[in-house]
Structure formats: C-alpha cells, structure tokens
Amino acid sequence: MSDLIVALRAVLPERQVVSDDLRRLAYGTDASFYRLIPEVVAIVENETEIRGVLDSARRFGRPVTVRAAGTSLSGQAITDGVLMLVGEGLASCEIAPDGASVRLGPGMIGGEVNLKLAPLGRKIGPDPASINACKIGGIVANNASGMCCGTAQNSYQTLQGLRVTLADGTLLDTQAPQSVAAFRARHCALLAELARMGAETRADGALAERIRRKYRIKNTTGYSLNALIDFDDPIDILSHLMIGSEGTLGILSSVTLQTVAEEPFKASALVFFPDIARACEAVIQLKPRPVSAVELLDRAALRSVENKAGLPEIIRTLDHEAAALLIEVRAQTAAALQLKMDAVLQALAGIETVQAPGFSTDPATCDMYWKVRKGTFPSVGAMRRAGTTVIIEDVAFPVESLASATLDLQALMLRHGYTEGIIFGHALEGNLHFVFTQDFTDPSEVERYARFMDEVCALVVDRYDGSLKAEHGTGRNMAPFVEKEWGRQATDLMRRIKQLFDPHGLLNPGVILNDDPQTHLRDLKPMPAADALVDQCIECGFCEPLCPSHQLTLSPRQRIVSWRELSRRTTAGEAVDAIQTEFAYAGLDTCAGCGLCSTACPVGIDTGDLTRLLRGRRLGPVSKRAGQWAADHFGAVTTLSRAGLGLGHLASSVVGEGLVRRLSGGAWRRSMPQPGKRPLLRSGTGDPVVYFPTCSSRIFGANSADEATLPEVVMELLTRAGYAPRLPRACDQLCCGQMLASKGLASEADAMAQALTDALLEAADDGQGGYHPVLMDASSCTVRMQQLLAGRLAVYDFHEFALDALLPRLRVVRQPGPLALHVNCSVRRTQSDAKLRELLRACVDEVIEPAGVSCCGFGGDRGFVVPELNVHALRRVHAALPGNCCQGVSTNRSCEIGLTAETGRAYRSVAYLLEECTREASPMHC
C-alpha cells in the first residue's frame, strides 16, 4: 500500500478510498475517447474531506482531478493521479421560497433538480442532452448548455454565488460576507492580480472587443475570459472564472443559480428544406423571433433516423442535399403559444420548404420529434464496427456563416473518408455537432484522425473565427489548439490565471492548457470487441443513475468497461486473476439484472443480458444439474420453498428474527411473508379470464397470517367484477422460467416458459378459434410472457387489467392515504407506469412516490443472496416517506418483500388495495 493511500485513509473512511484494480479501471473511464487509470479514487462527501484529499495529494506531489458523473466528452474527468469522486453527501438542493434561485451541491443530477423545481414552474438554465445523468458539478465546471439555454441561460449567466476550495485548501463562499472578508484579507495578492488583469483587459479595446465577439456564440474553449470584462470586483471575476474551468482552478462544493421559467405550453414543428442554405436562411430569420429552440439536421442525420416510427413519410424521399429544422416554441398560455407559432410561420413564409410547415401541440408527437433528434448521435454509434469508437465533436460558427460552414464541414468529412458522419446542432447559436466513427487501434487511422482535426481547426478558426469547443469543454481534446483559436495574447492571460490559482499544477494538469501538441492523440481509450450484446456501448454513462448497484459496486457502464478489458487481456494472453476475481462479485453477483439501464441507454443495451450470459458460463456441472432438476420438478421446488418459509418462521418464533437473519447471512429478511398456498380455483360466472398465479405469489404468502394470499385476493376481485377465472392445468408446477434465466440457465428457463406457454394456450382457448385474456400477478413474469406470447395471446399485468377491465365494473370507495407507491423496473421498462398511477389515483387521495428510487435491487433472489444490494438501492426511500405513511404497494412480490424489510412498512400488491377499496366498510389501517 502506497504512502498516499495510507494518508488518504487517515482523512477518509476506508470505504471511500478505492485502490483495487477493478474499480480503478472502471473509474478510469468517462464518456470521452480517452482513458487514464487513477492511482487511487477518493470519494468525498463534504468540504472537510475535499480539503483533506487536497492536502494529502499536495504532500505527495500527486495531481487531483474531480469527477461528478463522468459524462464529459473531452477527457477532462480522467487522471493517473488522484481521482476525487463527488459523493452523495454533496448532492444537496435548497430551493428559494419563490423558486427564483436554487443552491446546489455538485453531486445533484441536473434532471433531478428540474423535477424538484417543476412544481414551481421553474428549471435551471443549462439543459445538456445528458441532463438526466450529468451532475451540477460537471454542468457548472464545463459551462454546459444545450438545446434551449443558448448563451443567455448557461451557468455563467445564471450564477449567483458559489463555494469553492482552492488548491491551497482555502474555502471561499462568495455569498457569505464573513467568508469574503476573510478571503480578501488572506488572499489580497491574488485578488489584486485578478483586478489588475481585469483592468488591463478592459483597457485594451481590441482584446476586449475580441472577447465580447467570441462569446456572442457558444464558446467553452479555454477559460472564461469574459469574466475579466464583465466584472470589476475581483470576487465576481474569480467566481465566474470558475465556470467552465473544468476543475483546474478550484473545487466547487456548492453553487447558487438563478432559475428560469419552465413554460407549460409547448409546440414543435419539423420543417424540411431543399438544402442547407435555405435551412440556414430560415435560422437567421428565426433568430430574433420568440423561439425556444431551433435544431438543424443535415440529410445524413435525417437518414440515420428516417425509419423511426411516427416520423413523416416524406423524410424517406428527401433529396441528398435536403436538411431540416426542428423548431420549438413555449409560452405561459395557449393564446400566447398561438401568437408565437404564428410569428414563426410568418418568418418562414418567404423561404422555400419541401412542404408547408406546421406546428404540433400534441405532447406525444412533440416528444417523438425530440427523441428522434436526440437519437441521431446514438444511431451512428449503434451502426459502428465493433472495436471502433464514436466521436461527437462540437464547434460553433457565427450564425450568418452557418450555411457555408456546414457545407464546408460536410465536404471535409467526406474528403477524409468519414462517409458515415452526420451533422446536427443548435442552430440559433451557430453550434454544430458532427458525429463519426473512429478506429484508434490502427496507427494509420490515428494519423487520419489527426489530419482531419488539424483541418477542422483551420476551418473553424482561420476561415470563420468560430469556437473549437462550443459546449463540451476544452478538456484534453482541444487543449493543444487553445492558442490557435484565441491567439498568444489571450492565451497568455489564461496561463497567468492558471499560475495564479494553481502554481504547483495540482488541479487537473494537462486539461484546458497543454503545451504538448500531440496530447489529443495520447491515452486513447481501447474499445475492444467483447460480446455482441454490449459491443455498441459508447460508455456515455446515461445508464448509471438508474442502476441499483451504482456506487455500491459497479454501474452498467463500468461492467462493460471491465468486461472489455478482461476480454482484451484474455485475447492478448495477459493475466486476469485479480480483476476477474473482483468482477465475479462486483460485476455479476451484485447486478440486479433489472434492465432499467436499457431505458436510458442511447443504443438500448441491457447490461443484464451480459450478466446472465456470464453467470451461465461460470456455472459448473452440479449447478446445471440442479437447475435442470428444478425445471423438471418445479412443483416440488414450490412445496419445499413453502416448507422452508414455515421453518424460518418457526425458528424466528423460538430464537428471534434477528438471530435467524444473522445465521442466514441476511437472507432471512425483516418481516418475511408467510408461506404461500397452493392456488384453488374460485368458481364464478361471467366472462372467462385465465389467471396464472406466478411462483412468487404461490411460494410467498401474505405479510401476516390473518391476510388472504395474493391469488385469493385476485380471484375475489375477478368474481366480484363478474369474471369467471380459469387456472392453467397443474399451475402449481408451472413457472415462466425467470428464476432460472436470471442465473444464466437459459435453455432450462426456456423449457419452463414453453411449458407455461402450452398451458396458457390450452386454458385460454375459447373453442371458437380465439383466446380469452390472460392475467398474471408479478410484473417481471408478465413481461417475460408478453414477449414470448406476443401476437398469440393477450397477456396482462394485474394493474393493466385492473384499470381497463376491473375498475369499470366495481364501485370504489376512495381511501385518504397516504400510500407509498413503488414503480418496479418491469413496469418502467414496459412504460405501463401511467396505468399504475391512474389506478392508484382512482383508489387513494394521497400517493407518495419517492424520488430517486428506481429499481429496488431485489432482482428476483438477489435480495436474499446479496441483501446489501437491496439495502443500497433503497437508501433514499427512508427520507422520502413521512411518518404517517404506513403502507405501500407495488406489482412484484419480491420487490414488496425487500421494500417491507427496508422501510418497516407493509408493502403489498396493488390488488390488495383495490380489493379493500371495492368492498364495503374497508378503511386503510396500519
């Protein structure tokens, strides 16, 4: 163990100092195409720990790089020194009473901030495409913007104050008079130099005008020199220099931003033009109009998404020179929205379009347009050859030059052989993104990339005096070209700023300013082929906030990174022992396999598929025989499981639940359910419905001995609503196979699913060539059978059938609540959560859905095998549930077991709620 790690463990809890090979590798990757493996990862939860890590790194002469979410694209969040990882302790959010401002910790996810602000009709200004994954620390440190915020609502323009720790450990709170006074006294020389630089810059008319001109369009190349001309007070200069400084001048622990209005009425128009020139002519006309966003897409970008469902047919017939603008207007009222739409259409009236433009106010249509726009980048990533990376570059031009600049960029990409490349961007700000694929394993390909980037820089700077980085930050990627864009005088100002704040080069050295002209070609990330299931992963990190094991062990991105490296080492004949051993637990055992990662992944990867594949590969002959026996004798498995539950309760009654839990290694959870019962058909008259009680509802009974089992409740509801339930033949011996599939026993699971399929088809046959509907009571099992029976049988999850088929036939007596709702991962993946919420609204006045809780982490049997996963996944639920909320509902029995154990509140199927609300005199009780 190095002296540095020993020192870090003296100032941080041991779990916050990460030095194992696997996690250092995993954290060595961000969303860029660079990689450095940190010597150590230090997770900081407060300002004291930030200062302690800085002191330790300074003492041993090691550089420090701060990372929030790691979604940066320019290589600014990686290091071979100390990687300071922003922990959840720094994920604070304090909203002003009127909502006009918000004080945020760097660990807050941008999208979560907007969810908290939404009830006040407000949001933060920056709106990067990664807002549901990126964190405030990165948004501010990169001065990220996005599709709507432009240059007027970014972090620089909406900053009210911040707390920052400088390289020497000094903490400054620019909103606290005492802190400012102390800083002025202690750092008078630093402030005097800032004031001097500001005065010199403002006095130099040519330089000041150049800076103003550079920031009329988006620009994140170099430091925020506009701070020197926008402010006189050196405290204001300092705070605004921190914006976009990428962790090279100080470490933010809090920032206060002005919020902006989130206008509720929106409309979008997808307008097609015969060529780029006419599209850009329209942009110039729209610039002074009341538009919120104007996105440009060239023909290649349109072609990459033209087969997406719901898009206009005309998109597939456009000429190769065509282009499109996606235009959005927003307003506080419907009348104001109509005026804005009219103004836009009037502006377009004199410009040739392929067809007459028109707006849609339908939320589904508008959402589809914007999803398609956001899908252009991943569409290229999904089509790339395995082993290559996808690169998204980010430049800006003066708006009046946008048409010719776009055509020049298209020609440049073709000249260098990037025929798959596409161009899109935030047209109002002259901001273009161009996307292409690149092989960094071949030296000749690296040379091609180098030549291309040299010509891109010449095009942007020499021909158009544009920005080499508009919103992605300078990072390592554009550091060698800062002086080319800004010139010697302005770049020397930046060098003076860096030297003033960080004279020893402690903070993120090599980022923003770098004298190595080849640094953008070094430390390129390997992207070896590992498995077709995940080879298209672009390592963006969008999946991480939804993953229940993220920050416990590995996230989906980190699992893929780790497996890629293991595959590369195996192919190269290198040792894999240490990483492979650590990966067995961190990569496989603690993956819930919930699939939520696929809902955020731009290319739709379900990392759980890889986990199940690898779990299957590591199974030995004994495990496979046990799996086969379980598949062949599932009735016995069910009986034995119920008996085991009964013995567990018996032991708990004798020696106590706590001791049984400790002896079982945590597998015996608090408030374990009673043993289930073999389902018995309840006779009824009316419309036939096939009901399959899943194995979880047959094995696990009610929460208490005096409650009915879930199958009993469901059949009561069916008969109460005038349905005649049918059970598949020998249903206690049937299972969809999900249990075995999660363990990697794919063929055995498929055989079980086929047996259930045959039984359901038999039971649902109406004798007239059709089939009765099929109802199931566990969402994860329902999803599996819906996929297998698509086009053959109508299979409903309970909440879907209850809303559409039971509720209209029942008289509901609403309950006051509050009632907690957990929307499990299967419901989220199938996007049936709206129906679940609608069902609850019909039954309960107050429903509480805790924010920040996605998958509960129980993952079938993971909650028994690795209970720490369930505990970690639900760590935020406790603070979100008020004391008078004593019950909860979900739609998966295993989820309900984990939620009951962790919250101390009784979670049950939503079927119990509906049954209580539709019987006479049925008040909710704790």
Side-chain angles (χ1 to χ4, degrees):
M1 186 183 303
S2 71
D3 291 341
L4 171 62
I5 293 174
V6 171
L8 289 172
R9 287 185 174 175
V11 297
L12 297 176
E14 186 173 345
R15 64 178 177 79
Q16 291 174 219
V17 180
V18 177
S19 59
D20 60 272
D21 290 346
L22 176 67
R23 287 186 294 166
R24 288 192 302 111
L25 165 70
Y27 285 119
T29 292
D30 67 356
S32 74
F33 51 90
Y34 300 97
R35 176 186 291 166
L36 288 169
I37 307 300
E39 181 179 345
V40 62
V41 179
I43 303 170
V44 292
E45 304 286 358
N46 54 56
E47 291 169 341
T48 300
E49 292 179 352
I50 290 173
R51 189 162 52 252
V53 171
L54 282 176
D55 289 346
S56 299
R58 191 186 314 107
R59 194 185 334 150
F60 291 96
R62 301 299 293 139
V64 176
T65 294
V66 185
R67 174 184 293 182
T71 56
S72 300
L73 293 164
S74 300
Q76 58 265 63
I78 58 172
T79 180
D80 56 4
V82 179
L83 184 64
M84 184 186 292
L85 192 66
V86 174
E88 290 187 342
L90 289 165
S92 56
C93 179
E94 302 171 32
I95 301 173
D98 60 356
S101 66
V102 58
R103 188 180 181 98
L104 299 163
M108 279 297 299
I109 293 173
E112 291 185 4
V113 177
N114 283 343
L115 285 175
K116 292 177 181 293
L117 288 168
L120 300 171
R122 309 293 291 179
K123 63 178 181 178
I124 57 172
D127 61 337
S130 59
I131 195 164
N132 290 325
C134 66
K135 296 181 178 179
I136 293 299
I139 290 173
V140 173
N142 291 303
N143 198 20
S145 48
M147 286 182 272
C148 295
C149 92
T151 57
Q153 296 180 342
N154 58 25
S155 298
Y156 181 94
Q157 297 293 348
T158 59
L159 178 69
Q160 285 192 345
L162 50 76
R163 288 174 68 90
V164 60
T165 301
L166 301 186
D168 64 0
T170 301
L171 175 65
L172 168 65
D173 184 341
T174 65
Q175 292 181 291
Q178 288 184 327
S179 177
V180 171
F183 191 86
R184 289 187 190 277
R186 183 176 174 183
H187 288 78
C188 55
L190 183 150
L191 293 176
E193 178 63 12
L194 282 180
R196 183 162 42 253
M197 281 192 282
E200 291 172 358
T201 304
R202 292 188 296 275
D204 187 330
L207 177 59
E209 178 54 32
R210 174 157 181 76
I211 292 171
R212 290 189 188 95
R213 188 172 67 252
K214 292 290 289 179
Y215 286 104
R216 290 192 184 112
I217 59 175
K218 288 187 179 181
N219 193 323
T220 59
T221 308
Y223 290 120
S224 299
L225 293 183
N226 45 341
L228 297 174
I229 61 172
D230 290 342
F231 303 97
D232 298 320
D233 189 326
I235 293 292
D236 290 330
I237 294 174
L238 181 154
S239 62
H240 285 82
L241 281 173
M242 290 297 160
I243 308 301
S245 64
E246 302 175 27
T248 63
L249 303 181
I251 298 173
L252 299 174
S253 53
S254 176
V255 61
T256 303
L257 300 176
Q258 300 169 20
T259 61
V260 301
E262 173 64 304
E263 295 171 308
F265 291 88
K266 302 175 185 179
S268 296
L270 185 59
V271 185
F272 301 104
F273 298 85
D275 52 43
I276 286 285
R278 288 175 177 82
C280 292
E281 181 186 348
V283 172
I284 293 172
Q285 293 298 315
L286 292 172
K287 179 72 173 173
R289 307 286 176 168
V291 290
S292 297
V294 178
E295 294 291 296
L296 172 70
L297 298 97
D298 75 351
R299 183 65 183 97
L302 291 169
R303 190 176 296 113
S304 72
V305 294
E306 64 185 16
N307 293 316
K308 297 284 186 182
L311 280 176
E313 289 289 332
I314 194 173
I315 195 173
R316 288 183 279 276
T317 66
L318 295 172
D319 291 340
H320 73 280
E321 293 182 349
L325 294 180
L326 178 54
I327 305 167
E328 182 174 89
V329 293
R330 301 179 178 186
Q332 290 291 346
T333 66
L337 184 72
Q338 186 61 56
L339 290 175
K340 290 185 176 182
M341 289 190 287
D342 293 343
V344 169
L345 294 176
Q346 182 180 3
L348 297 176
I351 301 171
E352 183 183 355
T353 58
V354 175
Q355 63 179 15
F359 277 94
S360 173
T361 56
D362 174 48
T365 300
C366 295
D367 187 53
M368 181 269 298
Y369 284 163
W370 287 96
K371 281 183 177 178
V372 166
R373 152 60 186 87
K374 292 178 181 179
T376 52
F377 169 41
S379 70
V380 176
M383 294 184 290
R384 77 186 193 280
R385 177 170 52 85
T388 63
T389 191
V390 60
I391 295 176
I392 178 169
E393 288 293 353
D394 165 49
V395 296
F397 302 97
V399 176
E400 60 272 16
S401 303
L402 190 59
S404 58
T406 305
L407 293 170
D408 286 344
L409 196 52
Q410 286 177 327
L412 190 60
M413 293 175 76
L414 291 174
R415 186 160 66 248
H416 285 272
Y418 294 109
T419 55
E420 78 291 347
I422 67 171
I423 297 175
F424 59 89
H426 317 315
L428 285 179
E429 311 302 330
N431 181 195
L432 295 182
H433 300 304
F434 53 104
V435 183
F436 56 97
T437 62
Q438 179 66 49
D439 184 356
F440 284 130
T441 63
D442 183 344
S444 66
E445 282 291 290
V446 176
E447 291 175 7
R448 176 171 72 124
Y449 171 74
R451 291 193 300 271
F452 175 59
M453 288 308 299
D454 284 344
E455 289 200 38
V456 167
C457 292
L459 174 71
V460 174
V461 175
D462 298 338
R463 186 171 303 179
Y464 293 105
D465 195 18
S467 306
L468 291 171
K469 282 295 179 184
E471 57 181 7
H472 292 171
T474 308
R476 285 173 164 74
N477 182 236
M478 210 50 67
F481 304 100
V482 171
E483 186 168 328
K484 179 175 182 61
E485 175 175 334
W486 277 100
R488 171 62 64 88
Q489 183 183 13
T491 306
D492 281 346
L493 262 181
M494 296 182 192
R495 294 189 179 105
R496 286 172 63 186
I497 290 167
K498 174 65 172 175
Q499 180 65 23
L500 182 64
F501 281 91
D502 185 24
H504 303 295
L506 178 71
L507 300 177
N508 216 4
V511 167
I512 295 187
L513 297 173
N514 196 313
D515 293 332
D516 179 359
Q518 301 294 306
T519 194
H520 64 303
L521 304 176
R522 306 192 195 284
D523 303 309
L524 299 170
K525 182 196 298 181
M527 297 282 277
D531 192 280
L533 290 172
V534 296
D535 280 342
Q536 299 309 312
C537 173
I538 56 180
E539 299 184 5
C540 63
F542 288 10
C543 55
E544 292 187 339
L546 297 177
C547 178
S549 63
H550 178 44
Q551 298 178 336
L552 173 69
T553 51
L554 298 179
S555 69
R557 167 169 63 173
Q558 293 171 329
R559 285 186 170 88
I560 293 172
V561 167
S562 302
W563 183 245
R564 280 174 167 164
E565 179 63 11
L566 282 167
S567 300
R568 186 198 66 77
R569 292 189 185 188
T570 300
T571 301
E574 299 176 14
V576 298
D577 294 348
I579 291 181
Q580 193 164 47
T581 300
E582 293 161 355
F583 185 73
Y585 171 76
L588 301 183
D589 292 347
T590 55
C591 175
C594 63
L596 278 184
C597 49
S598 67
T599 66
C601 175
V603 292
I605 294 171
D606 182 351
T607 313
D609 290 339
L610 176 67
T611 297
R612 288 180 282 272
L613 176 70
L614 298 181
R615 283 175 182 167
R617 288 180 184 174
R618 72 174 182 172
L619 291 175
V622 174
S623 297
K624 291 182 178 179
R625 284 196 297 271
Q628 186 62 60
W629 184 90
D632 295 340
H633 304 87
F634 196 73
V637 172
T638 304
T639 301
L640 289 170
S641 298
R642 289 194 285 249
L645 262 176
L647 288 173
H649 277 286
L650 178 61
S652 293
S653 68
V654 175
V655 300
E657 187 176 60
L659 180 58
V660 174
R661 185 161 57 250
R662 288 193 297 274
L663 292 174
S664 65
W668 185 264
R669 307 305 300 275
R670 179 170 64 164
S671 303
M672 279 288 275
Q674 300 295 309
K677 302 175 184 177
R678 181 175 180 174
L680 298 176
L681 182 63
R682 178 164 181 166
S683 61
T685 58
D687 300 325
V689 174
V690 176
Y691 168 45
F692 176 59
T694 58
C695 62
S696 62
S697 68
R698 303 194 316 263
I699 292 172
F700 298 106
N703 287 342
S704 60
D706 59 349
E707 281 186 318
T709 65
L710 178 56
E712 291 170 340
V713 170
V714 172
M715 281 190 277
E716 166 62 27
L717 281 167
L718 288 171
T719 55
R720 187 181 295 173
Y723 289 97
R726 296 182 175 185
L727 295 178
R729 185 184 305 180
C731 73
D732 206 32
Q733 300 174 29
L734 297 172
C735 173
C736 71
Q738 180 83 357
M739 176 186 71
L740 296 185
S742 68
K743 294 175 172 55
L745 293 161
S747 59
E748 294 83 355
D750 289 346
M752 297 181 78
Q754 185 58 53
L756 177 56
T757 294
D758 295 341
L760 292 177
L761 287 169
E762 178 189 43
D765 191 342
D766 66 1
Q768 300 176 5
Y771 294 96
H772 300 300
V774 174
L775 170 65
M776 296 175 64
D777 59 21
S779 296
S780 57
C781 305
T782 305
V783 171
R784 178 172 170 84
M785 296 311 297
Q786 284 174 333
Q787 293 169 344
L788 293 173
L789 287 165
R792 290 190 286 171
L793 276 183
V795 180
Y796 297 93
D797 205 358
F798 175 81
H799 69 280
E800 298 171 316
F801 190 83
L803 180 68
D804 297 337
L806 296 182
L807 208 56
R809 299 186 178 196
L810 297 169
R811 187 177 72 85
V812 175
V813 178
R814 291 173 60 83
Q815 307 285 3
L819 184 74
L821 168 64
H822 176 70
V823 182
N824 64 57
C825 46
S826 297
V827 173
R828 292 180 189 273
R829 281 166 44 212
T830 56
Q831 297 182 341
S832 65
D833 49 325
K835 287 195 170 187
L836 179 56
R837 293 186 183 97
E838 187 176 348
L839 178 61
L840 257 69
R841 285 196 296 269
C843 297
V844 182
D845 293 334
E846 184 182 359
V847 177
I848 296 171
E849 188 176 344
V853 178
S854 51
C855 173
C856 70
F858 212 90
D861 67 351
R862 295 295 89 189
F864 298 126
V865 178
V866 281
E868 62 270 27
L869 176 61
N870 182 223
V871 173
H872 178 77
L874 295 178
R875 64 195 182 282
R876 298 181 182 176
V877 74
H878 310 284
L881 296 179
N884 65 336
C885 179
C886 55
Q887 292 189 39
V889 294
S890 191
T891 59
N892 232 40
R893 193 68 186 106
S894 57
C895 300
E896 293 150 18
I897 292 170
L899 286 157
T900 299
E902 281 308 300
T903 67
R905 295 162 170 86
Y907 275 77
R908 303 178 297 171
S909 167
V910 69
Y912 284 88
L913 172 67
L914 184 59
E915 192 279 324
E916 290 175 354
C917 289
T918 56
R919 73 163 110 114
E920 294 182 6
S922 56
M924 288 177 62
H925 59 277
C926 294

